[in-house]
Amino acid sequence: MSRLNLIPQEILLKRKNKKRLVVSSFVIIIIFTLVIYYLGIFFAFNYKLEREIAFYQNKISQINNQIGEEKDFEKELKDLKKRQELYNSLIKGKIYFFDLISKIESKESADINLTSINLKDRTSISIAGYCSSLSSCSNFLRSLRDIENLKEVNLNHVRFDSSKNIFYFEITLSF
């Protein structure tokens, strides 16, 4: 049996073209939708990635600031240590006259009376005074030798005053 088609050929072609148009439109719509979907995912991922990059760049700049502050602190600490070493080297072995005078006065006993302490030159001090006995003068002389940074302790002279029954002495301290 044969099939007989009474629908004109043009209408059949139009139907075929319509079907093709519908199928191709549907495929294009699906492809377009997928492209838009993937573009949305791409831009969302890109936006998220840019935010993370900005966040980590901010953290890096904060860490760099902290490192810079620590380096500045380390530089200041090094400078302070150098200054302290320089200061210590300058004052090492130096004699401060006020300290020296107070040390001399602390060595003074009850029967020693100091009348004068004179700076002869920048390297020696002359001490004059009187005492009741030679042994107290000798003890005073020994106690002066215990003072730090002194090179020499010399007894220049001792003179007895028989009218007052006292010994006058003069001592030179060299540093």
Side-chain angles (χ1 to χ4, degrees):
M1 193 125 66
S2 305
R3 250 176 112 181
L4 196 55
N5 194 358
L6 296 175
I7 302 175
Q9 192 73 15
E10 292 174 10
I11 293 177
L12 285 176
L13 279 175
K14 281 184 182 180
R15 281 186 186 170
K16 263 187 179 179
N17 284 340
K18 263 189 179 180
K19 282 184 185 179
R20 282 184 189 165
L21 185 62
V22 168
V23 169
S24 64
S25 296
F26 186 67
V27 169
I28 289 174
I29 289 173
I30 289 175
I31 290 173
F32 185 70
T33 305
L34 287 175
V35 167
I36 289 176
Y37 176 74
Y38 285 119
L39 282 175
I41 289 174
F42 174 75
F43 284 121
F45 179 74
N46 193 21
Y47 177 72
K48 181 181 176 187
L49 192 62
E50 286 177 0
R51 284 184 58 195
E52 286 181 12
I53 289 171
F55 174 74
Y56 287 116
Q57 283 178 341
N58 187 21
K59 275 197 161 204
I60 288 171
S61 67
Q62 288 175 351
I63 290 171
N64 284 338
N65 287 339
Q66 288 176 344
I67 289 172
E69 291 172 1
E70 289 175 7
K71 284 184 180 178
D72 291 342
F73 178 72
E74 288 174 0
K75 286 179 184 177
E76 289 177 9
L77 186 62
K78 267 186 183 176
D79 185 48
L80 183 62
K81 284 182 181 178
K82 284 182 182 177
R83 288 177 186 223
Q84 185 177 12
E85 289 172 5
L86 180 64
Y87 176 76
N88 288 340
S89 69
L90 288 175
I91 65 166
K92 186 177 181 181
K94 298 287 182 183
I95 301 247
Y96 294 101
F97 296 111
F98 294 115
D99 291 339
L100 183 61
I101 291 170
S102 66
K103 288 178 183 177
I104 291 170
E105 289 177 345
S106 70
K107 303 292 182 182
E108 184 179 359
S109 63
D111 55 346
I112 298 286
N113 294 307
L114 299 179
T115 57
S116 68
I117 299 175
N118 297 321
L119 179 65
K120 283 188 172 181
D121 52 18
R122 295 210 170 245
T123 60
S124 65
I125 290 179
S126 173
I127 302 171
Y130 59 91
C131 58
S132 59
S133 67
L134 284 176
S135 62
S136 61
C137 182
S138 175
N139 290 335
F140 180 61
L141 193 60
R142 279 192 206 106
S143 66
L144 288 177
R145 289 188 177 139
D146 295 337
I147 297 176
E148 296 176 359
N149 298 327
L150 291 180
K151 291 181 182 174
E152 291 182 14
V153 177
N154 295 323
L155 179 62
N156 293 345
H157 70 274
V158 176
R159 178 175 54 91
F160 180 69
D161 187 356
S162 58
S163 65
K164 296 181 181 177
N165 200 22
I166 56 173
F167 292 91
Y168 288 100
F169 62 86
E170 184 176 327
I171 299 171
T172 303
L173 307 174
S174 300
F175 43 89

